[in-house]
């Protein structure tokens, strides 16, 4: 079973940094202070690094880069006032639905 509590706790910490973190003392607060474009740029960088790690085949490197990508995606969610639970709820909704059928429902 997946421990969703780490995502919940991380989401709470990110929201706290957004709503009162000190940019000089917190990396996340500094990202929020720079704005959405800086957050999105960081996601793009981490996605590219994740792809390169996967191509390299080092499993630990893949895990670490994926963690960076997930983390920065959670920062983006917090920017929009969303929580990890919102994404988990969407994944639960999709569970058992064919990916092809799910894509058709959005198109």
């Amino acid at each position: 079973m997946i421990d969703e509590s780490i995502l919940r706790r991380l989401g709470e910490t990110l929201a706290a940094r957004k709503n009162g973190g000190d940019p000089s003392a917190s990396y996340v607060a500094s990202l929020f202070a720079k704005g959405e474009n800086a957050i999105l740029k960081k996601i793009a960088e981490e996605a590219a690094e994740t792809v390169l790690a996967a191509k390299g085949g080092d499993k630990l490197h893949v895990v670490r880069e994926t963690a960076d990508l997930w983390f920065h995606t959670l920062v983006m969610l917090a920017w929009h006032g969303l929580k990890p639970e919102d994404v988990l709820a969407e994944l639960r909704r999709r569970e058992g639905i064919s990916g092809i059928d799910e894509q058709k429902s959005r198109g």
Side-chain angles (χ1 to χ4, degrees), residues 84-95 102 106:
E85 293 89 347
D86 296 315
V87 177
L88 292 173
E90 176 62 13
L91 290 171
R92 280 188 202 94
R93 184 192 69 78
R94 293 180 185 189
E95 188 174 18
E102 201 285 322
R106 290 188 271 154

Side-chain angles (χ1 to χ4, degrees), residues 2-77:
I2 295 174
D3 179 9
E4 295 175 16
S5 66
I6 183 65
L7 291 175
R8 181 184 42 75
R9 290 191 311 271
L10 187 52
E12 290 168 358
T13 298
L14 295 173
R17 296 293 188 277
K18 178 183 176 195
N19 297 318
D22 177 0
S24 67
S26 165
Y27 169 72
V28 171
S30 73
L31 270 179
F32 285 129
K34 292 175 187 173
E36 183 178 30
N37 284 342
I39 295 166
L40 298 177
K41 181 180 177 186
K42 194 63 184 169
I43 291 172
E45 290 171 8
E46 295 301 343
E49 290 173 9
T50 302
V51 169
L52 292 173
K55 293 290 280 180
D58 179 332
K59 291 181 181 184
L60 179 58
H61 193 200
V62 171
V63 167
R64 288 178 172 166
E65 292 301 338
T66 301
D68 288 346
L69 177 59
W70 286 13
F71 177 83
H72 288 89
T73 301
L74 292 170
V75 172
M76 183 264 310
L77 289 172

